[in-house]
Every structure is written in structure tokens, then in C-alpha cells.
Amino acid sequence: SRELEVVTQTKVPSALFLAETWVGEARLRRLCNELKFDHCWISPSAGKTGCLALFWKKSLKIEVMSCSPNHIDATVGERSKTQWHFSGVYGFVDKARKHETWSLLRDLHRRSPLPWMCAGDFNEILWSHEKLGLGARQEGMMKDFRDALDVCGLMDLGFVGDKFTWRGKHVGGLVLERLDRAVADNAWFFL
């Protein structure tokens, strides 16, 4: 919570998406108020993974179109002005269910013709250099992620700061990976 306070005070975002929060709905509603956002949308929890949350200020019009334990999908902006599509995503951790994350992306892509930006914890890397420690990631898993982004016309927006967004200790050592990212289609870049 302290890190979020610092970020929201220095960057003053109009909206904030949180994935895998590990706290309950009541705490998220308090956090929304503490961070001085006017609205919040909280997805249902998927047990161990926690909730997803979208906070925004009254200066921004956001209409949530759908949600699940793995996504919050919304339209941002006024109809008469520039409007765009936002999807906050939390990807499946289980290797056997990764394809469901890529199917979700394709489905979200088909839902709206608006310029699209998608961000969150995809629980997958795009390239082997995005992982450090304990063996290589299976090329097929990374390729499936790249293929899903290609089909949807999504490009990585890059990052500022630490390349690795996740750290974990496993038997044999520390693992670092870039699991969190934001991606957008061409039309979004021209807003």
C-alpha cells in the first residue's frame, strides 16, 4: 500500500489497474479511497489468486463491460470524443491452462473495434531473455503468447525501471521474470 501511495502521489494517474491483489474487497475499497480515486471495480476472486481491481477518478469516464477472475474489460472516454478499449488481465499460472489466457485475449480483441490497450500479469514471458535463473522456459509456451499478441495486433509498450517484474525462490535458487506488461494495437498509439 505504501508503494502505491508513492506512485499515485508522484505520477497522479487517472486510473489504476491492480492484478492478483491478495486482499479482500473491503480492503480494496478502502485503498481506493486512500489513494484518492473516486470509483472502483473489483472482479470476483479466483481463490488463491486474489481479486483484480480497477480504480479511476471522476475526471475519466470508464464503463466496465465485463469481468471475471482473469480480466476486467472496459471502455474509456466519451462517445462523442476519443474513446478506447482497456483490458486488465491476469493470466492463468497453470501451464495446462495458459491457452485459456490466449483465448481470452482473442475474445477481448473481437469485442470492440476501438483502439485497444491491454495490461496486467500475463504469467508468461515473450522471450527467453525475460527470465533469469532455474532453467529455460519452453519455447512453445512463449511462442503461444507471441502468436496471441500477433493475432490481436498487440505490441509491447516497453517498460521503465527493473526489467523483471516477478521474483520467486524455488529449490535451487532465485528466479526473476518479466510477467507484467502493457501491450496496445496500432490505433491506440494514434489517440
Side-chain angles (χ1 to χ4, degrees):
S1 151
R2 180 70 191 126
E3 288 178 36
L4 281 175
E5 283 180 46
V6 171
V7 168
T8 56
Q9 288 171 356
T10 58
K11 303 295 183 188
V12 194
S14 298
L16 179 67
F17 172 71
L18 301 173
E20 194 181 17
T21 58
W22 295 98
V23 295
E25 186 174 331
R27 176 67 184 113
L28 286 170
R29 292 195 184 285
R30 283 194 308 276
L31 183 62
C32 179
N33 290 329
E34 289 167 14
L35 298 176
K36 298 182 177 25
F37 287 96
D38 303 300
H39 306 281
C40 71
W41 185 279
I42 301 168
S43 76
S45 172
K48 293 183 196 177
T49 63
C51 300
L52 306 179
L54 180 61
F55 300 164
W56 69 96
K57 296 186 177 175
K58 62 184 171 194
S59 61
L60 189 62
K61 179 167 176 22
I62 291 184
E63 183 180 350
V64 174
M65 307 306 286
S66 68
C67 75
S68 75
N70 294 89
H71 85 286
I72 296 175
D73 195 49
T75 300
V76 180
E78 302 283 341
R79 288 190 199 281
S80 59
K81 299 179 182 174
T82 303
Q83 199 174 41
W84 54 283
H85 179 201
F86 170 77
S87 302
V89 172
Y90 178 70
F92 286 93
V93 177
D94 182 4
K95 288 179 183 179
R97 297 190 72 188
K98 296 255 186 218
H99 69 279
E100 293 178 52
T101 302
W102 316 142
S103 293
L104 173 63
L105 283 180
R106 289 182 192 99
D107 182 49
L108 294 171
H109 171 64
R110 285 188 292 269
R111 290 183 187 183
S112 175
L114 295 172
W116 186 29
M117 196 257 277
C118 183
D121 180 348
F122 292 89
N123 274 311
E124 187 55 80
I125 60 175
L126 287 172
W127 306 102
S128 58
H129 64 81
E130 295 178 340
K131 179 181 180 186
L132 189 62
L134 289 184
R137 178 72 109 244
Q138 293 176 3
E139 178 59 36
M141 301 295 258
M142 295 181 292
K143 183 180 181 316
D144 289 347
F145 187 15
R146 291 192 302 265
D147 289 348
L149 294 182
D150 285 346
V151 165
C152 297
L154 295 168
M155 296 166 285
D156 192 352
L157 295 178
F159 62 93
V160 174
D162 192 346
K163 172 181 179 175
F164 302 108
T165 63
W166 180 83
R167 289 165 173 67
K169 288 186 180 178
H170 292 282
V171 177
L174 183 66
V175 178
L176 306 171
E177 296 180 323
R178 182 176 179 218
L179 302 179
D180 305 275
R181 67 182 68 239
V183 294
D185 66 13
N186 267 336
W188 188 85
F189 286 96
F190 294 103
L191 290 175

